[in-house]
Amino acid sequence: MEVETKSNYGKVILDYGPSGLVIASVNKDSNSTASVNKDSNSTELRVLHALHLADNPFIKHFMISSSEIFCKLQEEANKLFPNTVPQSTVASYSRKYRGILRELVASFEEARDSSSASLYYNLEFVWHFCEIMFISSNPELPVLPYYSEWIHLNFDDSKVVVSHLEDELSEMDSENAKKMWGVIFKLVFHGKTKEAASYLSHMNPTNSPVVEEQIASMSELMRKRPVYHPTLHSVTNYERAWSAWKEEVELRMSHRIFFGHEELLFICKIMLGDDAAFENAKDKIDSWYEYLGMTLTYKYPTARPGSLKGHAKLVIEEFGFHDPANMVPMERVLLEAMDYNIVSVLRDMQLHWNYPWFTLHFADLVYCNGRFSSLKDIELESSSVGLLRDEFILDHGTTLMQHATMWQVGVRYLESIPDRGGWPVIKECIQRKKALTDFDTHKIISVAERFGFSGEIHGICRERALMKLKQGQKQDALLWSIKAGDGPLTTHILDILLVDGTCDIEQSLLESLRNALPCADRLLFLTGFCDFRKMMDRKDLRGAVSQLCHLIKENLIPTRMADKIALNIQHFKDRNTTFEDWQVSTLMEFLHTRVNPSEVGDDMFQKLNSVLLCNRAEGIVKSLNSAKIKLVK
Amino acid sequence: MSSTIAVTTIDTGHEDMIHDAQMDFLGTKLATCSCDKSIRLFDVNLTTGSQNFVTDLKGHEGPVWQLAWAHPRFGNLLASCSYDRRVIIWKEREGGKWENEHTYDGHDSSVNSVCWAPPEWGLMLACGSSDSSITVISCIENRWVHTKIANAHTLGCNAVSWAPAASSVGSGSGDVQPVRKFVSGGCDNLVKIWKEENEQWVEDVKLEGHSDWVRDVAWAPSAGTTRMKIASSSQDRRVIIWNNTEDGAWVPEALHVFEDVVWHVSWNFVGDVLAVSGGDNQVSLWKKQESGNWECISDSAKTQQQQQPQDHRTL
């Protein structure tokens, strides 16, 4: 029964090619409304090709930089194994990743690619927060220092605003004053009260002594606000200092020191954690996480990382910044991080960005640190992290392997998968690398040698030999076929080389052939013939004749070469040199049985014959003469 | 970080409908075959978008159904199969000329599918025919040897695909499997695995799961995966992933039920993404996620336009 449906319309041909592309042919189908391209011709092909991320020079540089950080971390982890990499070291690597992310953002901004700049900005934003939760902070110590830094780095525009107002600071109009107060408020919200205090001195345009005093009092309060640092303070001492400071703020408030100054009163109430002031602050804040930062700073300064989620939910729900159901994916990731749900964070980041750069490198950091496996009360699926890490490395490494120049970076990632898990991909990928030059091929082979992929090395060398042969570069083809250890191919190439009979092969090639494993009879002939030519060049006729006779005796001279080889006999004519009887006999036999007179020409044939006869005759004469001398004696 | 998709249109010059298009191993050559009985070859560079017509190969006497490039270590070799019951192996000679290296005409009906074995096993291919049989053609010491499997699929064989030579299971370096295997799909609704035993090919496993003709089978490369798997597509609009378990059983997993017959399935070279195309003119890419579910990561609608990185500035 025939397969009749082959001629049906509506069939898309598919081939998931070596570069990750899909070839689709859309056949004309006027009835189909679901046609990919209704106007297509049935004899047209559309080849879909994913342009590689690394084709963008900024991304390429970024990927190379991140691979260097990754490899250094692996080296460190391997040195310390079975111990894990210390928290401070992992944190420093995390900051390096953030550093190159910020560089990438700056590059895109400079190139006016705001879309890409935004993408990687957000990536760094989320990374930083995850770094706080999973790497930098201690679950048993206040999280505020890290959180404040994160907020301030991402939402501080004070320098930009102030730089625009620099020339007018001493004499600000009401509009600029409003902007300046906006800067001061923002700094207060972010807990940067010292910086805020430095701008307060500009906020007395009328030089009122009352205002001057109020500003001086507020500046003092702002500067005295205790700021927790994990290495400098114990929590207990900090809480004591904080309470004392709070009391002082309350005292000044109750003494109505800031009475009549709206802005300073507002700041004072914020610092006291006044709910009404917080409500008013919402208009001046862009996001719930900024608001959360303010809440922590002035209400819960010693909150631990584990309590962030509870505070965040309160902020989100009670103050209605966002309907949780309408949260953008990144906000969900932040909340998952607050839950220490590393697996959900990684999965959502992978889903959201559809590329494993973030997930791979972050999972690797957590994996190398390994500290959560030893902490109580934190359910961290640390075993899952390792598996996810390997999956993401495989994904990223495979993608890099498909790039023309980045594939060696891909190798570095793939070889970091435990139990040689990445080796099959490396093996598969290097076979598909298009080597444009011998240098490229040697690069591929050196990688294959490192992993012991002998089969692939032979295959690559063989392909190179075939390619060289196709290009007419026979000697190069011969070198590659020998490297491939391919006897039949080598024989074939040698036959081609010898077809014109000149054996015009570079001396250096012949020398290297001598050292190669002789994998073909033709090769033995060539190396032997190389020696013969050298001896002829040195006028070492005896040696040359001996070598030639050896080639004849061993039956190494290809049939089609016999005529051309025989022509060398004419150069053996030398009165001072006679050859051994057996040598002359061998050459004579060769001349008369292997050489075609019509090929060399009758005259030449006679000439060659006579050279041998003369040499034989002189040999006889010499031996007779020496016998005569003996008799005489 | 979505990547940008570029689309290159190639006017093949065929005079009738195209039935297959295959890129070679290195992605530099494209071969197309058609109802017009010819095969056309192109040199392509997808990075620059350049394409040069090389030659057309004429020798078949009927529509040419499928093409398969051999591994480049064997030189430039292309196999084709046709309605004219023949399999032809074409070889590029010195000087760039393509010639008929070998013709196999041992089938009694249309030959529907042809597939080269992994290069580790030498120069070998399998072809499936509407006459119910499958033939394995091997080149041994410059001689072409044919081994036929009669009655492989009653009513006809539609597709063949070889198992990878190296298994990554339990070994990162990829030891070559001692037993050669391939999978076939046929008009008996079955997917069958065949293995070589004493220089003969015998049925190893019969996989029942489809309710209509099996149109295509694809054995996943093992490079990026831990266990072997096979994808099969059918007239019953289903794609099934057959997963090989530790105890050697093949467990079916339904990928999806599509709107129309599913004609083709094709794995990426690592074996973790499956491309599916169907009678609904749609092409979709599927990947198994960490959750364990197969999810569509891309389809025709997305690939019709250039993709831009998404703007996540607003939080």
Side-chain angles (χ1 to χ4, degrees):
Chain A
M1 183 193 248
E2 301 296 349
V3 180
E4 80 286 356
T5 51
K6 289 277 186 195
S7 58
N8 284 355
Y9 283 116
K11 189 174 79 161
V12 177
I13 294 135
L14 197 67
D15 173 39
Y16 211 143
S19 303
L21 57 89
V22 173
I23 303 174
S25 164
V26 180
N27 296 304
K28 200 156 59 173
D29 182 358
S30 56
N31 296 324
S32 167
T33 55
S35 175
V36 174
N37 185 344
K38 286 183 186 174
D39 297 326
S40 72
N41 186 316
S42 65
T43 64
E44 253 181 15
L45 269 185
R46 291 190 319 140
V47 181
L48 308 178
H49 176 215
L51 297 178
H52 204 285
L53 278 171
D55 286 335
N56 178 299
F58 299 145
I59 303 275
K60 186 173 181 178
H61 175 74
F62 169 70
M63 284 189 174
I64 292 171
S65 301
S66 52
S67 74
E68 283 164 8
I69 299 170
F70 176 83
C71 290
K72 281 208 174 73
L73 179 55
Q74 304 317 300
E75 275 174 34
E76 204 142 351
N78 290 335
K79 270 189 221 158
L80 294 168
F81 184 82
N83 295 322
T84 54
V85 181
Q87 180 188 1
S88 57
T89 309
V90 171
S92 75
Y93 277 98
S94 181
R95 286 192 292 274
K96 284 178 187 165
Y97 281 124
R98 283 200 287 118
I100 60 171
L101 270 168
R102 286 197 297 274
E103 275 176 28
L104 182 62
V105 171
S107 299
F108 278 123
E109 280 175 346
E110 211 175 301
R112 297 182 195 275
D113 182 351
S114 56
S115 170
S116 298
S118 169
L119 178 72
Y120 292 100
Y121 170 88
N122 291 329
L123 204 58
E124 195 271 340
F125 180 79
V126 174
W127 179 291
H128 191 169
F129 186 77
C130 292
E131 175 190 303
I132 292 170
M133 294 306 297
F134 295 107
I135 296 171
S136 316
S137 66
N138 187 323
E140 287 154 28
L141 294 175
V143 71
L144 187 58
Y146 305 99
Y147 193 94
S148 293
E149 188 203 348
W150 176 62
I151 289 294
H152 188 60
L153 269 175
N154 286 285
F155 294 96
D156 174 39
D157 57 358
S158 59
K159 290 190 174 62
V160 173
V161 175
V162 168
S163 69
H164 286 143
L165 299 175
E166 211 163 3
D167 296 334
E168 296 155 41
L169 282 177
S170 51
E171 283 179 14
M172 273 189 284
D173 60 19
S174 59
E175 198 183 317
N176 287 341
K178 199 174 169 187
K179 284 182 190 169
M180 204 57 211
W181 278 115
V183 167
I184 293 169
F185 291 152
K186 247 323 173 55
L187 288 169
V188 170
F189 298 156
H190 292 172
K192 299 293 177 186
T193 48
K194 287 191 177 64
E195 288 88 336
S198 68
Y199 293 124
L200 271 182
S201 57
H202 302 296
M203 306 313 293
N204 185 8
T206 58
N207 289 318
S208 154
V210 172
V211 171
E212 184 89 22
E213 210 176 300
Q214 286 174 323
I215 283 174
S217 180
M218 177 55 74
S219 296
E220 189 196 355
L221 277 179
M222 282 174 156
R223 289 198 167 92
K224 278 163 77 170
R225 186 179 77 88
V227 177
Y228 174 77
H229 196 288
T231 56
L232 296 176
H233 311 107
S234 73
V235 177
T236 314
N237 287 344
Y238 173 75
E239 281 173 337
R240 205 176 294 136
W242 170 263
S243 297
W245 175 79
K246 205 84 183 271
E247 277 172 19
E248 195 170 343
V249 176
E250 276 168 1
L251 193 68
R252 292 195 195 190
M253 187 71 174
S254 67
H255 288 172
R256 296 162 67 87
I257 288 176
F258 308 111
F259 180 76
H261 198 302
E262 194 185 315
E263 288 86 2
L264 292 180
L265 270 172
F266 175 65
I267 290 172
C268 197
K269 286 177 181 175
I270 290 287
M271 292 199 299
L272 284 172
D274 179 73
D275 289 342
F278 269 51
E279 183 71 26
N280 286 336
K282 277 181 0 183
D283 294 336
K284 301 173 180 53
I285 287 179
D286 296 324
S287 62
W288 62 262
Y289 16 91
E290 266 188 291
Y291 195 94
L292 177 60
M294 188 173 71
T295 306
L296 294 174
T297 303
Y298 299 109
K299 291 188 179 184
Y300 313 104
T302 57
R304 304 307 197 258
S307 66
L308 269 182
K309 179 78 179 283
H311 291 301
K313 276 180 122 174
L314 210 63
V315 163
I316 292 167
E317 287 166 15
E318 289 185 14
F319 292 91
F321 271 117
H322 285 281
D323 179 355
N326 291 335
M327 264 191 186
V328 295
M330 291 228 303
E331 291 177 326
R332 282 201 295 271
V333 171
L334 296 179
L335 290 175
E336 282 159 3
M338 290 179 192
D339 260 339
Y340 287 114
N341 194 339
I342 182 71
V343 174
S344 292
V345 166
L346 293 174
R347 281 193 179 137
D348 274 350
M349 288 301 288
Q350 176 68 4
L351 199 68
H352 187 52
W353 263 281
N354 196 27
Y355 193 76
W357 184 92
F358 178 106
T359 45
L360 143 68
H361 293 102
F362 199 82
D364 183 57
L365 285 171
V366 174
Y367 175 76
C368 289
N369 185 214
R371 70 181 177 127
F372 281 99
S373 56
S374 59
L375 288 173
K376 295 176 194 174
D377 300 331
I378 290 182
E379 288 178 27
L380 187 60
E381 298 174 57
S382 48
S383 59
S384 303
V385 173
L387 291 170
L388 285 172
R389 167 199 180 264
D390 295 347
E391 282 286 327
F392 297 137
I393 290 177
L394 198 62
D395 200 342
H396 184 55
T398 307
T399 304
L400 287 173
M401 288 294 294
Q402 293 171 55
H403 191 267
T405 56
M406 293 284 285
W407 65 271
Q408 286 171 292
V409 177
V411 170
R412 293 161 86 182
Y413 279 98
L414 290 168
E415 63 181 334
S416 71
I417 299 176
D419 302 323
R420 300 180 173 184
W423 285 34
V425 177
I426 297 172
K427 193 178 190 182
E428 194 64 42
C429 289
I430 58 170
Q431 292 181 75
R432 295 171 189 274
K433 298 319 295 180
K434 277 173 289 190
L436 297 174
T437 63
D438 285 353
F439 179 70
D440 290 341
T441 310
H442 282 298
K443 260 200 290 190
I444 297 168
I445 288 172
S446 72
V447 170
E449 280 170 348
R450 212 163 93 219
F451 295 96
F453 298 154
S454 49
E456 282 61 37
I457 292 170
H458 294 148
I460 291 165
C461 292
R462 192 174 195 281
E463 282 165 43
R464 196 85 192 143
L466 290 170
M467 196 211 70
K468 289 286 185 181
L469 201 58
K470 193 177 165 184
Q471 291 171 349
Q473 296 170 31
K474 297 171 195 135
Q475 300 201 25
D476 284 348
L478 181 64
L479 261 176
W480 283 107
S481 73
I482 290 168
K483 228 177 148 71
D486 190 320
L489 180 61
T490 303
T491 305
H492 173 65
I493 297 171
L494 282 170
D495 278 346
I496 296 172
L497 273 167
L498 299 172
V499 74
D500 62 0
T502 58
C503 297
D504 191 13
I505 297 175
E506 286 173 15
Q507 202 67 21
S508 55
L509 173 57
L510 289 173
E511 288 299 332
S512 63
L513 286 176
R514 187 196 302 281
N515 297 324
L517 189 67
C519 56
D521 288 345
R522 299 290 188 274
L523 207 51
L524 289 172
F525 162 71
L526 265 181
T527 52
F529 191 67
C530 168
D531 290 338
F532 168 77
R533 276 172 50 191
K534 275 189 347 198
M535 289 173 198
M536 289 294 289
D537 291 341
R538 289 198 307 257
K539 310 280 186 222
D540 175 11
L541 287 181
R542 278 193 205 284
V545 165
S546 177
Q547 179 66 11
L548 185 58
C549 289
H550 166 72
L551 292 175
I552 295 169
K553 285 277 188 197
E554 294 298 318
N555 200 24
L556 290 174
I557 298 178
T559 306
R560 70 180 91 181
M561 293 294 304
D563 300 328
K564 292 279 170 77
I565 298 285
L567 290 174
N568 286 284
I569 294 174
Q570 64 186 306
H571 304 299
F572 294 164
K573 188 176 179 183
D574 183 345
R575 280 184 178 251
N576 300 319
T577 310
T578 52
F579 308 122
E580 303 283 343
D581 291 348
W582 71 268
Q583 288 176 335
V584 177
S585 301
T586 302
L587 290 171
M588 194 69 87
E589 187 187 347
F590 175 73
L591 183 64
H592 286 270
T593 59
R594 300 279 305 274
V595 178
N596 187 345
S598 58
E599 284 293 324
V600 300
D602 287 334
D603 288 344
M604 178 54 74
F605 188 85
Q606 292 305 321
K607 185 179 174 184
L608 297 175
N609 198 43
S610 71
V611 165
L612 292 175
L613 285 173
C614 286
N615 197 283
R616 184 75 179 94
E618 277 163 20
I620 293 170
V621 166
K622 277 187 184 167
S623 62
L624 280 175
N625 283 341
S626 80
K628 200 173 166 183
I629 290 167
K630 279 184 186 167
L631 280 174
V632 166
K633 280 185 180 170
Chain B
M1 290 193 219
S2 303
S3 54
T4 306
I5 304 288
V7 181
T8 303
T9 302
I10 299 174
D11 185 0
T12 62
H14 279 293
E15 293 166 4
D16 205 334
M17 195 161 58
I18 299 167
H19 277 290
D20 199 14
Q22 296 286 329
M23 295 290 289
D24 74 341
F25 196 75
L26 297 175
T28 58
K29 285 185 171 42
L30 174 68
T32 60
C33 64
S34 163
C35 267
D36 68 6
K37 306 175 192 174
S38 76
I39 298 160
R40 290 170 76 82
L41 303 183
F42 302 83
D43 283 332
V44 295
N45 184 327
L46 294 170
T47 309
T48 61
S50 69
Q51 44 183 281
N52 298 313
F53 169 69
V54 173
T55 187
D56 62 356
L57 307 177
K58 289 184 159 68
H60 282 295
E61 293 170 3
V64 186
W65 298 135
Q66 197 171 70
L67 303 167
W69 287 96
H71 193 280
R73 68 174 66 170
F74 300 113
N76 283 329
L77 273 176
L78 178 70
S80 60
C81 63
S82 164
Y83 178 81
D84 68 0
R85 310 172 189 191
R86 287 193 191 127
V87 173
I88 298 180
I89 295 168
W90 310 86
K91 184 171 179 138
E92 188 185 23
R93 300 281 179 203
E94 276 128 51
K97 198 167 173 235
W98 283 82
E99 287 175 0
N100 180 333
E101 169 78 0
H102 177 65
T103 301
Y104 174 65
D105 54 8
H107 283 291
D108 299 324
S109 192
S110 170
V111 184
N112 305 314
S113 179
V114 66
C115 181
W116 289 99
E120 290 86 343
W121 296 340
L123 196 56
M124 186 191 301
L125 66 87
C127 51
S129 169
S130 293
D131 68 6
S132 310
S133 66
I134 296 171
T135 305
V136 176
I137 304 173
S138 312
C139 184
I140 301 170
E141 290 173 4
N142 290 324
R143 267 189 331 115
W144 292 96
V145 175
H146 316 108
T147 309
K148 205 169 200 179
I149 307 169
N151 297 317
H153 290 274
T154 50
L155 306 178
C157 173
N158 295 327
V160 288
S161 172
W162 287 88
S167 166
S168 62
V169 176
S171 163
S173 62
D175 298 329
V176 176
Q177 290 291 296
V179 181
R180 299 171 184 181
K181 292 187 182 182
F182 67 88
V183 63
S184 62
C187 301
D188 50 8
N189 309 346
L190 294 172
V191 172
K192 292 186 180 181
I193 297 174
W194 305 88
K195 65 177 180 183
E196 194 183 32
E197 207 169 77
N198 301 322
E199 296 181 5
Q200 293 297 318
W201 290 92
V202 299
E203 185 182 302
D204 184 29
V205 182
K206 188 190 302 183
L207 304 174
E208 298 181 49
H210 286 293
S211 54
D212 207 333
W213 290 12
V214 177
R215 284 296 178 192
D216 201 8
V217 288
W219 203 311
S222 61
T225 59
T226 51
R227 299 229 68 91
M228 289 202 286
K229 48 186 186 287
I230 293 169
S232 61
S233 66
S234 166
Q235 202 86 20
D236 66 8
R237 302 181 293 128
R238 283 178 173 74
V239 169
I240 296 177
I241 308 292
W242 304 88
N243 295 290
N244 192 220
T245 58
E246 274 183 29
D247 57 2
W250 289 90
V251 177
E253 185 182 0
L255 182 86
H256 191 63
V257 179
F258 292 83
E259 296 294 317
D260 206 333
V261 59
V262 186
W263 286 105
H264 284 297
V265 282
S266 178
W267 292 98
N268 70 337
F269 74 99
V270 178
D272 66 343
V273 178
L274 181 71
V276 178
S277 73
D280 54 1
N281 264 346
Q282 298 299 316
V283 177
S284 51
L285 302 181
W286 298 78
K287 185 171 182 175
K288 197 161 195 173
Q289 302 298 334
E290 291 78 36
S291 56
N293 298 325
W294 285 92
E295 286 178 20
C296 180
I297 59 173
S298 184
D299 59 34
S300 302
K302 287 181 192 163
T303 56
Q304 283 201 68
Q305 55 196 335
Q306 301 260 335
Q307 293 187 22
Q308 299 299 324
Q310 297 170 37
D311 185 353
H312 303 305
R313 187 67 170 89
T314 307
L315 297 174

